[in-house]
Amino acid sequence: MRIRRALAGFALATCLVSPTQILAATQMDATLSQRHKFDIAPQPLSSALRQLSTQSGVRILFPYDEVAAIRSRGIQGWLSTQDALERLLAGTALKHSEAGVGVIALAVPSNRSAARRSPMAVQFAQASLAGTQPVAMAPAAEAEDASAPIIVTGTRQTTRTVAESLAPIDVLSVKDLEASGKQSVRDLLGTLVPSINVSNNGAGASWAVRTLSLRGLGGDQLLVLVNGKRRHNTATLFINGSVQNGQSPPDLDLIPGNSIQRIEVLRDGASAQYGSDAIAGVVNIILKNDTSGGAALTMGSTADNGGWQGRWQVDKGFALGDGGYIHLSADGVLQDNTMVESSPIAGTFYPTGDPRNASPNRIRAKYGQPQVIGGNVSYDAMLPIGESTELYSFGTYSKRHAAGWLTYRLPSAVNNILEVYPDGYIPRIHVYDEDFQVAAGIRGDGPAGIHYDLSTTYAEDEVKYSHTTSLNASLGPASPTHFYLGKVRSNEWTTNLDLQKEFEVGLAEPLFLAVGGEYRRNSFLIGPGDPVSYIDGGYRSPAGSWRAGELRTAGSQGVTGFLPSGSGKWSRNNWSAYINLEQKIIEGFEIGLAGRHEDYSDFGTTDTGKVSARIEPVKGFALRGTASTGFRAPTLQQQHYASSSTIGVPVNGVNVLLPVQALPVGSPAAVALGAVPLKPEKSTNFSAGVVLTPVHNLNITVDAYQIKIRDRIMLSETLSGTMVRNVLAAAGIPGVAGGFYFVNAADTRTRGLDIVSTYRTGLGDMGSLTASLSANFNKTIFTHIDPIPNVLAGSGLVLVGRAKQGDFTKGTPRNKFIGNLLWDWGAFSANLRATRYGKITQVASGMVLHDATNTACTAGSTGCTLGYVDEEVKPKVIFDLEMGYKLTQGVKLSVGANNLFNIYPTKLNPVNRVVGSLYNAYAPYGISGGYYYGRLNLEF
């Protein structure tokens, strides 16, 4: 019966295609190598093949039953017909061959059992065939294959799919991004990828920066690319921000969310492929490159704490020249502060004898999200020149003003002047960020079948800081309340040449070879603040007044202005060369090799390598593994950043708000405290995993990993005490309680497991359902800690103490689970997501006086002990929900909630509720509670 059906199908084909066409040629004719401008949206493969035929002029014969249940990806751009067809078929079992001049036949490999099909189950897609129409067949249910998307991260081939990847990779499509309900790229990644966590706390000059952690590592151990090109880092250094201390990663909030076509997350070390920073993995953001358009307006607020937010977005693509395009995107955001519940502030508020001390208003803190006004614009453009060459360019530009409250200063404190602030004050910091990146290049096919890509990228991030409602108490009543604190600026200029070619070597597929080189120049600048923001005015209160004769705190409160002595401009350059090979040895077995050499002007050379393998003994079951070495160069910020911030420091068993100084490793003060020049981090990565497709449309990946990092770059503990203050004073940094600097002081080992599963199915008249369940298990330990420098040994100080170790080993969730259901039913859609964050522990840096209830007490009182009081963020499940309805074609209205049930993190123990803090800011879902919003989407 099957033979008769197959013969009937073949007979139908021969009726549509003449025998002379079928036998015309055995080699690919010139029509398949011609380039065309393709614009094919994601849709059923059968209709996508017809559009490809129309746009290329090539006729395609295909078995309808084999393609009816497959949904193709979208294709836009200037491609050869051969490349366009391979992209449509990638991830399927279909093979193509020429059936005549201008005619392609698709078929299932002979080693696959034939599907049951009717005699009419062969269709013919055509550009023009006079008097003939394609055979009309009943539509089949659409199902989307999760393994089908083409990837460009972790490989330099252009036809590899997620399921074929040699390393674990996640692809977040436009649909995933739109249904997430998140308002920024950073939060979106933390929501959709289980191995990514978002840091939601910071302090001082880094207060406005939020970073990502992949597989428990730091934000600057994750390389960010845009369209495959390196994204620059922020100029700001993340200081006093718990688990992400000492980092200056790319700021993903400065990329318009509506400019993104998809995001690829490579969960594997890739330094050998991409260079510095890719120890944990790679995030590659692919910008939209089609002629579609849309707009969105989102409005929302938290349930209890204000913080209303409005965001508008618009994007549109346009044809450019003969076969080119330009896609423009813009988004803007207005966000107000949230005011989260705080705890009573302890201490004597007013001078001794003031009757208001009997019952002062102790609820003064203003913790929560910042106030933000900002906008981002971007473009992505391409223009063909000739038959095989194209010019391309893309870029982003952003401006942002963020403002937020720091910690409350008591009226009676040494850092207040009663004549200026009789009721105390809260410094308000303002961060002004201006950022841009532009890339341009030329790519195409050169002689001997070599594909080339020559590009250059220039980027700059400048951040200026100022204070309002602040004070330099050492200037007395004459002190200003507004301060300009200075600025930081980083620049990066990167030029790349990439060459690719395939070689026939007699194996299952051609050998793919890629070689290339890169030159990168970085610079970093610190500009000093106004003198009143850092000078010590030497003011002492006059006799008979409060704190008479007492020397007051120097520098602006909150963040002290950048000192002239710590200001300057520094630069470095490096060049690198790489080689990458990928080879399918036999069907079901392939390997990849990569190697890279880097030469830096400031710390020398390094070499890295990577080997990958994938084995698929049977269809639907594959094993994959990688082994690699990696590195991360210390940033210029880590080598030269100098700033002072006010933080809580344990003094004699009590947390006290005091200024501490970040010291450049080469500064006299840091050297006197034992600092030595930084070295690059080096890593060894191993991963092994399995890829399963047990039933149609169910995809499961399980990947285990181990990452060892040697000479890990981290901030030291805050060094304080008489000896440290004397060293700082001798270096011209008076009035500061302590300091810290960067150091390669330890080795760590991270082990974990990633599980990702996705199932897509049709529900008949009830639409379609996409269900996913994913998880990450992660643990980091210290395998080595360097001995303390001799200069500190006699003072009882440590460089890597229990708090710093705790941030690395316990400061991110031990595990994270994400369950997601996306239901599409006609004009209605609903997305429900549940995320469970495992336990987090904030390890205390110093001992404090506390009783059995972890409440502050007085030394010598009954039950009062001196010890460490760690804080635990208990596991919580956070629900997100979005429901949408298409009012008409191109118009959709949605309502949703992030943190639907308004969950807050665990409250701090009373003894650690310093200056009004109540909730533990280590929680990756923040302290502001649920956010509820409405959104209007337009498509045009």
Side-chain angles (χ1 to χ4, degrees):
M1 180 63 72
R2 290 183 178 179
I3 295 176
R4 288 202 306 271
R5 288 174 176 167
L7 290 173
F10 184 77
L12 174 61
T14 56
C15 291
L16 296 174
V17 186
S18 67
T20 56
Q21 288 176 313
I22 295 177
L23 301 175
T26 58
Q27 301 295 324
M28 184 71 68
D29 66 45
T31 61
L32 298 186
S33 62
Q34 291 178 358
R35 294 165 61 83
H36 304 274
K37 176 63 171 66
F38 290 99
D39 189 356
I40 302 174
Q43 58 189 293
L45 181 57
S46 56
S47 57
L49 289 169
R50 295 189 182 96
Q51 287 192 18
L52 186 143
S53 175
T54 300
Q55 295 175 25
S56 66
V58 173
R59 291 177 288 179
I60 305 171
L61 180 71
F62 63 88
Y64 181 80
D65 280 4
E66 293 294 338
V67 305
I70 300 175
R71 185 171 177 83
S72 75
R73 64 192 53 80
I75 298 176
Q76 288 87 26
W78 196 256
L79 302 167
S80 69
T81 304
Q82 168 81 2
D83 287 341
L85 180 61
E86 289 183 349
R87 292 192 182 192
L88 283 182
L89 300 182
T92 74
L94 295 166
K95 302 298 181 181
H96 65 85
S97 60
E98 193 173 16
V101 178
V103 181
I104 300 171
L106 307 183
V108 178
S110 58
N111 61 352
R112 175 176 164 180
S113 59
R116 185 178 299 275
R117 58 173 66 92
S118 69
M120 300 292 289
V122 177
Q123 291 210 12
F124 197 51
Q126 56 190 1
S128 61
L129 191 59
T132 306
Q133 295 293 325
V135 179
M137 306 297 294
E142 296 180 15
E144 191 174 339
D145 185 352
S147 66
I150 292 286
I151 58 172
V152 294
T153 310
T155 177
R156 298 188 186 271
Q157 292 190 2
T158 58
T159 58
R160 190 177 293 280
T161 67
V162 171
E164 297 170 340
S165 174
L166 303 182
I169 190 167
D170 302 302
V171 177
L172 310 179
S173 67
V174 170
K175 192 171 185 179
D176 296 323
L177 308 185
E178 291 176 348
S180 74
K182 296 300 182 181
Q183 305 303 309
S184 71
V185 176
R186 167 185 52 86
D187 289 336
L188 184 150
L189 286 167
T191 297
L192 299 180
V193 181
S195 54
I196 286 181
N197 285 292
V198 174
S199 171
N200 277 288
N201 62 321
S206 60
W207 158 87
V209 178
R210 299 293 182 265
T211 67
L212 294 178
S213 169
L214 176 63
R215 288 183 164 179
L217 301 184
D220 54 5
Q221 290 160 331
L222 171 65
L223 177 64
V224 176
L225 308 174
V226 176
N227 285 349
K229 308 302 180 183
R230 178 182 287 266
R231 179 75 177 180
H232 62 288
N233 291 354
T234 178
T236 297
L237 192 69
F238 199 68
I239 296 289
N240 305 328
S242 70
V243 294
Q244 303 298 323
N245 260 352
Q247 300 171 25
S248 51
D251 192 338
L252 296 181
D253 288 350
L254 301 182
I255 299 174
N258 61 325
S259 70
I260 299 173
Q261 176 176 303
R262 71 180 188 276
I263 301 176
E264 300 179 359
V265 181
L266 175 65
R267 293 176 277 116
D268 192 47
S271 293
Q273 295 160 295
Y274 297 106
S276 178
D277 305 342
I279 287 179
V282 177
V283 170
N284 191 7
I285 297 173
I286 310 299
L287 302 180
K288 290 180 180 177
N289 60 359
D290 56 20
T291 56
S292 65
L297 176 63
T298 306
M299 298 290 290
S301 180
T302 66
D304 309 318
N305 306 300
W308 65 268
Q309 184 179 137
R311 182 179 291 269
W312 62 267
Q313 298 178 314
V314 61
D315 71 280
K316 183 68 175 78
F318 304 91
L320 187 65
D322 183 14
Y325 68 86
I326 182 169
H327 198 108
L328 305 175
S329 304
D331 77 354
V333 62
L334 293 171
Q335 173 182 288
D336 198 13
N337 289 107
T338 56
M339 295 296 177
V340 179
E341 179 187 2
S342 59
S343 62
I345 297 175
T348 302
F349 267 51
Y350 300 99
T352 303
D354 192 317
R356 290 175 295 176
N357 278 325
S359 57
N361 176 15
R362 295 187 177 276
I363 305 299
R364 299 293 187 105
K366 296 182 179 180
Y367 294 112
Q369 74 180 17
Q371 184 182 67
V372 177
I373 177 171
N376 308 311
V377 295
S378 72
Y379 75 93
D380 187 17
M382 183 275 292
L383 182 66
I385 52 174
E387 287 296 315
S388 60
T389 304
E390 59 189 32
L391 299 174
Y392 66 91
S393 180
F394 61 89
T396 63
Y397 174 79
S398 303
K399 290 197 76 171
R400 181 180 62 194
H401 171 207
W405 302 101
L406 300 180
T407 49
Y408 176 70
R409 272 64 173 171
L410 296 172
S412 61
V414 70
N415 51 24
N416 181 45
I417 300 296
L418 286 168
E419 293 88 340
V420 181
Y421 293 114
D423 289 311
Y425 63 102
I426 302 178
R428 186 166 174 83
I429 188 169
H430 298 259
V431 181
Y432 300 88
D433 208 318
E434 185 170 10
D435 181 280
F436 74 87
Q437 179 175 30
V438 61
I442 182 172
R443 61 194 174 205
D445 297 318
I450 298 175
H451 180 79
Y452 64 88
D453 185 346
L454 176 63
S455 66
T456 190
T457 304
Y458 184 79
E460 179 177 293
D461 183 56
E462 181 175 270
V463 186
K464 296 180 180 179
Y465 305 97
S466 67
H467 262 321
T468 54
T469 62
S470 185
L471 183 71
N472 184 342
S474 72
L475 296 175
S479 171
T481 57
H482 293 200
F483 300 87
Y484 171 67
L485 306 177
K487 68 178 181 180
V488 291
R489 185 176 69 223
S490 65
N491 300 81
E492 184 166 293
W493 184 16
T494 305
T495 300
N496 296 86
L497 174 61
D498 302 295
L499 305 172
Q500 303 171 10
K501 182 175 173 56
E502 291 186 341
F503 297 90
E504 289 290 348
V505 292
L507 298 175
E509 289 186 359
L511 169 67
F512 177 84
L513 171 67
V515 297
E518 176 180 285
Y519 176 82
R520 186 166 76 252
R521 180 175 178 82
N522 295 90
S523 64
F524 176 61
L525 174 145
I526 297 178
D530 290 338
V532 290
S533 70
Y534 58 77
I535 62 174
D536 185 349
Y539 175 78
R540 296 175 186 269
S541 299
S545 65
W546 175 247
R547 293 190 179 274
E550 192 171 343
L551 187 64
R552 297 305 186 94
T553 305
S556 56
Q557 279 296 297
V559 176
T560 301
F562 291 106
L563 298 170
S565 60
S567 300
K569 185 176 181 180
W570 305 270
S571 63
R572 74 168 178 217
N573 60 78
N574 78 293
W575 65 268
S576 62
Y578 76 86
I579 182 171
N580 189 70
L581 301 98
E582 296 181 35
Q583 174 69 68
K584 180 175 285 188
I585 308 298
I586 59 174
E587 194 65 37
F589 176 52
E590 56 186 318
I591 62 172
L593 298 172
R596 191 178 194 93
H597 175 79
E598 295 259 356
D599 191 325
Y600 282 79
S601 60
D602 54 351
F603 64 79
T605 64
T606 187
D607 298 294
T608 55
K610 182 174 183 177
V611 58
S612 310
R614 184 180 185 276
I615 304 171
E616 188 173 11
V618 295
K619 188 69 176 179
F621 175 79
L623 300 172
R624 63 188 179 193
T626 67
S628 65
T629 58
F631 76 101
R632 186 182 74 81
T635 64
L636 291 173
Q637 290 94 316
Q638 290 173 330
Q639 297 179 74
H640 302 290
Y641 189 87
S643 174
S644 177
S645 301
T646 306
I647 63 173
V649 178
V651 178
N652 298 323
V654 179
N655 275 309
V656 181
L657 202 61
L658 294 172
V660 296
Q661 179 78 25
L663 304 171
V665 292
S667 66
V671 172
L673 294 174
V676 296
L678 292 177
K679 301 178 290 184
E681 297 176 339
K682 294 192 175 182
S683 68
T684 304
N685 297 47
F686 296 98
S687 73
V690 59
V691 181
L692 301 170
T693 309
V695 297
H696 183 61
N697 282 338
L698 173 60
N699 297 277
I700 303 172
T701 63
V702 182
D703 293 277
Y705 57 89
Q706 174 178 281
I707 307 167
K708 289 185 175 181
I709 302 178
R710 301 180 300 281
D711 298 322
R712 191 157 181 174
I713 301 171
M714 61 183 67
L715 277 175
S716 71
E717 299 283 1
T718 299
L719 307 174
S720 60
T722 302
M723 185 271 290
V724 174
R725 289 195 298 271
N726 291 339
V727 168
L728 295 176
I733 312 173
V736 175
F740 46 82
Y741 54 81
F742 284 94
V743 61
N744 297 97
D747 303 340
T748 63
R749 185 191 70 202
T750 300
R751 286 177 175 171
L753 184 72
D754 288 329
I755 303 173
V756 179
S757 61
T758 305
Y759 180 66
R760 292 172 169 86
T761 184
L763 301 176
D765 293 339
M766 296 296 291
S768 63
L769 180 70
T770 302
S772 64
L773 180 62
S774 54
N776 171 256
F777 303 87
N778 191 84
K779 184 177 182 180
T780 295
I781 65 171
F782 281 77
T783 57
H784 170 76
I785 298 177
D786 289 349
I788 189 169
N790 291 333
V791 67
L792 301 178
S795 301
L797 300 172
V798 294
L799 283 182
V800 185
R802 67 187 310 273
K804 193 64 58 180
Q805 293 181 49
D807 284 346
F808 282 88
T809 60
K810 301 178 180 180
T812 55
R814 177 71 177 84
N815 49 64
K816 180 180 174 183
F817 299 86
I818 303 175
N820 200 98
L821 293 174
L822 175 59
W823 178 33
D824 285 301
W825 181 28
F828 176 77
S829 65
N831 190 72
L832 176 64
R833 177 175 52 253
T835 305
R836 182 190 184 275
Y837 296 95
K839 185 176 74 172
I840 300 170
T841 302
Q842 178 183 356
V843 176
S845 60
M847 294 187 288
V848 292
L849 291 166
H850 66 282
D851 59 21
T853 63
N854 288 328
T855 301
C857 57
T858 304
S861 60
T862 303
C864 190
T865 60
L866 181 65
Y868 295 103
V869 179
D870 297 336
E871 295 290 346
E872 180 180 305
V873 182
K874 295 181 180 179
K876 295 286 179 71
V877 179
I878 306 298
F879 287 88
D880 302 328
L881 174 66
E882 179 173 298
M883 296 183 291
Y885 187 81
K886 292 183 179 178
L887 303 177
T888 184
Q889 182 65 33
V891 181
K892 184 178 181 180
L893 184 64
S894 304
V895 294
N898 296 328
N899 192 350
L900 177 64
F901 298 112
N902 200 28
I903 302 298
Y904 289 87
T906 310
K907 292 182 178 180
L908 298 167
N909 286 297
V911 71
N912 289 328
R913 296 177 187 176
V914 182
V915 287
S917 57
L918 181 62
Y919 295 105
N920 196 318
Y922 273 53
Y925 45 89
I927 65 173
S928 295
Y931 174 77
Y932 306 88
Y933 62 91
R935 186 174 65 244
L936 177 66
N937 286 88
L938 304 177
E939 294 180 0
F940 44 79

